[in-house]
Amino acid sequence: MNTIKTITLSLLSLLSITLHAQSFKEPIAYKLNNGMNIIISENNRSPKAYASFTLDKNAYSNKKDGIVELLNAVLNESIGKSNNLIFNDNSGKIATAADGFDKELNDMASLLQNAGIDEKTFNTAKTKLLLSLKLQDYDYDQTVNNNSINNLTFADVKDFYNQISPEKTFLTIAGDIDLISAKASAKKAFGNWNNSNKQKHSVATIAK
């Protein structure tokens, strides 16, 4: 349970939420039937509801340097303009009013499970990431640099994306949302996810 609370507190800190001991409840952890790890922590004094979709680093220990950030860049290109959803570091993050949380989480899940990764999007994302590195406008991990990004190919990103499966991920939900609603939203968004369907969609999209 201490590990679970550490993960949740890290998310809350990242999103700059002020914690109040009397309103922050002990995190609840469980798994969906597909193996996805869910962590939920209520904090009714939080101004918004938050979610973080995070890769289990241990499950991807052999990944190529920079591959996560490049995939993030590709996914951000696929989002278009969104005030509530962004992919960076090792995760996708949502911050929204409680009444819009269910829709935003479903939009995130749909994108993650059905990402249309094509060469045009890949090339645009790669160019923007290299420019960001040049401008130093974000604090990237030291493994994310010009050499590591330039060495990554379209095939590398497709291959890594297809390795992502429910049991290798965490979904953390926190803030202004009650436990019952959070559980229902998580199941609705990710309960039917299986990796074989994601791969089929990815291959079909690329073949167009």
Side-chain angles (χ1 to χ4, degrees), residues 7 11 14 51-61 63-64 66-73 75 86-93 108 112 138-141 144 160 164 168-172:
I7 293 172
L11 169 66
L14 179 64
S52 176
F53 173 90
T54 308
L55 302 180
D56 181 352
K57 291 183 178 180
N58 293 331
Y60 305 95
S61 58
K63 67 183 182 300
K64 294 185 176 182
I67 191 69
V68 173
E69 286 298 340
L70 186 50
L71 177 59
N72 283 340
L75 293 174
I86 189 170
F87 289 87
N88 57 31
D89 298 324
N90 195 45
S91 64
K93 300 178 182 69
M108 172 195 270
L112 286 164
Y138 188 80
D139 186 20
Y140 294 103
D141 184 87
V144 184
F160 182 70
I164 299 173
K168 299 177 183 178
T169 65
F170 290 87
L171 177 67
T172 304

Side-chain angles (χ1 to χ4, degrees), residues 10-151:
S10 296
L11 169 66
L12 298 177
S13 175
L14 179 64
L15 295 170
S16 301
I17 301 172
T18 301
L19 296 176
H20 297 267
Q22 65 270 33
S23 59
F24 179 70
K25 296 184 179 181
E26 189 75 11
I28 302 298
Y30 66 100
K31 291 179 183 286
L32 295 179
N33 289 337
N34 58 15
M36 187 177 190
N37 302 282
I38 311 295
I39 302 170
I40 300 172
S41 181
E42 299 175 67
N43 179 14
N44 57 24
R45 292 201 177 190
S46 169
K48 293 184 177 182
Y50 301 88
S52 176
F53 173 90
T54 308
L55 302 180
D56 181 352
K57 291 183 178 180
N58 293 331
Y60 305 95
S61 58
N62 295 323
K63 67 183 182 300
K64 294 185 176 182
D65 288 345
I67 191 69
V68 173
E69 286 298 340
L70 186 50
L71 177 59
N72 283 340
V74 171
L75 293 174
N76 283 329
E77 281 300 304
S78 301
I79 294 170
K81 292 183 178 180
S82 174
N83 294 323
N84 301 321
L85 173 61
I86 189 170
F87 289 87
N88 57 31
D89 298 324
N90 195 45
S91 64
K93 300 178 182 69
I94 291 172
T96 185
D99 59 3
F101 181 80
D102 189 74
K103 178 184 182 302
E104 294 290 344
L105 189 64
N106 274 276
D107 287 348
M108 172 195 270
S110 179
L111 176 61
L112 286 164
Q113 296 169 54
N114 307 296
I117 301 177
D118 56 53
E119 285 200 72
K120 181 179 179 181
T121 303
F122 167 80
N123 289 332
T124 300
K126 188 172 183 177
T127 298
K128 288 184 178 180
L129 179 54
L130 288 169
L131 179 60
S132 179
L133 288 169
K134 181 178 179 180
L135 295 174
Q136 298 182 340
D137 58 6
Y138 188 80
D139 186 20
Y140 294 103
D141 184 87
Q142 62 181 359
T143 62
V144 184
N145 51 58
N146 282 345
N147 288 337
S148 63
I149 299 304
N150 277 317
N151 287 335

